[in-house]
Amino acid sequence: MKAWTYILLFFIMITSCSGNSSSQNLTWYKNSTITNIIEDPDKPDDVVRIAIGISAQVFYLSKKSSDYNTLFEKAKQSFKRGKAFDIGIENNTNIIRQINEIKK
């Protein structure tokens, strides 16, 4: 019986530690609206500056990202139409990695 307890404990530890590591590396701004989109004057070929919320926290959208076009379209929707999204910012870089529809 003791062996089964250890096996069960081991299984629980493995499954609880596994998961989507990319989402663990993101800070989420839930139900947020983009208030400004401008070209970055310091790195115009690399990033676009994105301001989120009333306090206008500034983040970046990398033009070199493989999903840049999709993310930029969602950012424009939020900015122009006031549409709110859940926005995932990569920790320690301030780069926007995900813009998701709000789950109801």
Side-chain angles (χ1 to χ4, degrees):
M1 186 68 172
K2 212 175 200 185
W4 285 109
T5 306
Y6 288 118
I7 291 172
L8 181 61
L9 182 62
F10 178 74
F11 179 73
I12 291 171
M13 288 176 54
I14 293 296
T15 56
S16 67
C17 293
S18 65
N20 188 350
S21 62
S22 65
S23 67
Q24 292 174 353
N25 194 28
L26 297 178
T27 299
W28 287 95
Y29 288 79
K30 301 282 187 171
N31 200 18
S32 297
T33 305
I34 292 174
T35 55
N36 201 1
I37 300 174
I38 58 172
E39 293 290 327
D40 189 302
D42 299 328
K43 299 178 183 178
D45 296 331
D46 296 334
V47 294
V48 175
R49 285 187 187 178
I50 306 281
I52 298 175
I54 295 171
S55 63
Q57 295 174 320
V58 176
F59 300 100
Y60 300 93
L61 186 57
S62 174
K63 291 182 177 180
K64 295 179 180 179
S65 173
S66 60
D67 52 353
Y68 169 76
N69 290 330
T70 304
L71 294 174
F72 190 70
E73 284 303 314
K74 288 180 180 179
K76 284 195 312 189
Q77 278 182 5
S78 181
F79 178 57
K80 290 182 178 180
R81 298 185 191 146
K83 184 174 181 179
F85 287 96
D86 291 339
I87 303 171
I89 309 297
E90 185 176 43
N91 294 337
N92 302 321
T93 66
N94 286 344
I95 294 178
I96 297 171
R97 294 294 180 195
Q98 291 184 27
I99 300 177
N100 299 336
E101 298 286 331
I102 296 172
K103 297 178 184 175
K104 295 183 180 188

